């Protein structure tokens, strides 16, 4: 049983997550997230903690940001896009049981006042921006670290916000560049 309450977007996500793990789940109903739902998430955060596990698309990121802004200290699980696609539809409900478990095993905790460990110079130095394959490399590094995909600025923000250690980051970047996971 996962101690924290997992927050997902829809009913199909709830069904799939419950097939993968034993956990309590709150459904946001997508963009239709109400103040009542936010209050349920706040209460869950106070008593057990919350893991936000939204779809790897624009809407999912927007819902994740909304919850994070209104409920402090949430944990985050990210589903890689390539593991959440079925017939052109992107969502947690399309992921395999194993992919869901893997994403939940890589949960990251948001740090309220993060130390700025990384700068945009690091992102460029390690080939995560301003190179031909920067997007693919960010995607791969994000999968391994469990911080999801983002543009260079978002990726930098997540590295700092989740307190990723420099040695872990460097090890993962080199591993990703070698094509190993």
């Amino acid at each position: 049983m996962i101690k924290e309450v997992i927050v997902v977007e829809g009913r199909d996500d709830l069904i799939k997550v419950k097939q993968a793990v034993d956990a309590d789940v709150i459904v946001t109903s997508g963009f239709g997230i109400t103040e009542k739902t936010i209050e349920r998430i706040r209460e869950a955060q106070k008593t057990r903690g919350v893991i936000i596990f939204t779809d790897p698309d624009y809407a999912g990121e927007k819902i994740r940001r909304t919850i994070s802004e209104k409920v402090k200290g949430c944990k985050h699980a990210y589903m890689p896009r390539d593991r959440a696609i079925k017939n052109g539809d992107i969502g947690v409900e399309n992921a395999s049981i194993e992919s869901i478990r893997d994403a939940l095993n890589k949960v990251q905790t948001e740090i309220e006042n993060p130390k700025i460990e990384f700068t945009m110079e690091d992102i460029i130095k390690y080939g995560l921006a301003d190179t031909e394959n920067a997007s693919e490399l960010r995607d791969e590094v994000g999968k391994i670290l469990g911080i999801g995909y983002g543009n260079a600025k978002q990726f930098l923000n997540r590295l700092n916000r989740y307190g990723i250690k420099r040695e872990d980051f460097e090890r993962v970047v080199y591993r990703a560049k070698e094509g190993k996971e």
Side-chain angles (χ1 to χ4, degrees):
M1 171 89 178
I2 293 179
K3 179 189 104 172
E4 297 88 353
V5 176
I6 300 172
V7 177
V8 298
E9 290 180 54
R11 188 181 52 82
D12 292 339
D13 298 330
L14 173 142
I15 291 166
K16 196 66 174 254
V17 166
K18 285 194 159 281
Q19 289 172 352
V21 295
D22 184 10
D24 291 326
V25 180
I26 294 175
V27 176
T28 68
S29 299
F31 282 128
I33 189 166
T34 64
E35 193 52 44
K36 183 178 178 181
T37 301
I38 291 292
E39 196 49 49
R40 284 184 60 215
I41 296 169
R42 274 192 195 108
E43 193 56 39
Q45 175 64 1
K46 285 181 203 169
T47 59
R48 295 176 48 196
V50 165
I51 299 170
I52 302 172
F53 192 34
T54 55
D55 294 346
D57 58 12
Y58 175 79
E61 280 305 308
K62 187 167 171 116
I63 294 164
R64 180 184 299 276
R65 264 191 317 276
T66 298
I67 296 168
S68 276
E69 288 168 4
K70 294 182 179 201
V71 183
K72 298 298 178 196
C74 292
K75 295 180 180 180
H76 296 264
Y78 290 89
M79 177 59 64
R81 285 179 74 96
D82 64 346
R83 296 182 187 162
I85 296 178
K86 184 177 180 182
N87 300 324
D89 180 43
I90 297 174
V92 169
E93 76 274 9
N94 297 319
S96 70
I97 300 298
E98 188 172 305
S99 292
I100 290 171
R101 289 178 181 155
D102 185 50
L104 291 169
N105 282 329
K106 293 179 179 178
V107 165
Q108 295 289 341
T109 303
E110 208 169 330
I111 299 169
E112 192 148 335
N113 295 310
K115 173 184 162 212
I116 304 303
E117 174 72 25
F118 300 97
T119 65
M120 190 54 77
E121 287 77 27
D122 292 308
I123 299 298
I124 293 167
K125 174 184 172 185
Y126 289 97
L128 298 167
D130 294 343
T131 64
E132 190 175 313
N133 68 337
S135 178
E136 293 84 9
L137 186 58
R138 284 193 312 274
D139 186 38
E140 190 60 28
V141 171
K143 282 180 197 174
I144 298 168
L145 289 174
I147 65 172
Y149 174 79
N151 65 32
K153 187 177 175 183
Q154 291 168 324
F155 200 82
L156 172 62
N157 187 350
R158 288 181 188 169
L159 287 171
N160 288 317
R161 194 174 65 208
Y162 297 134
I164 303 297
K165 293 180 176 32
R166 183 167 293 277
E167 57 270 17
D168 293 337
F169 168 76
E170 289 175 349
R171 179 180 41 78
V172 167
V173 168
Y174 291 125
R175 188 169 132 197
K177 284 183 176 181
E178 293 172 1
K180 299 176 187 171
E181 185 176 337

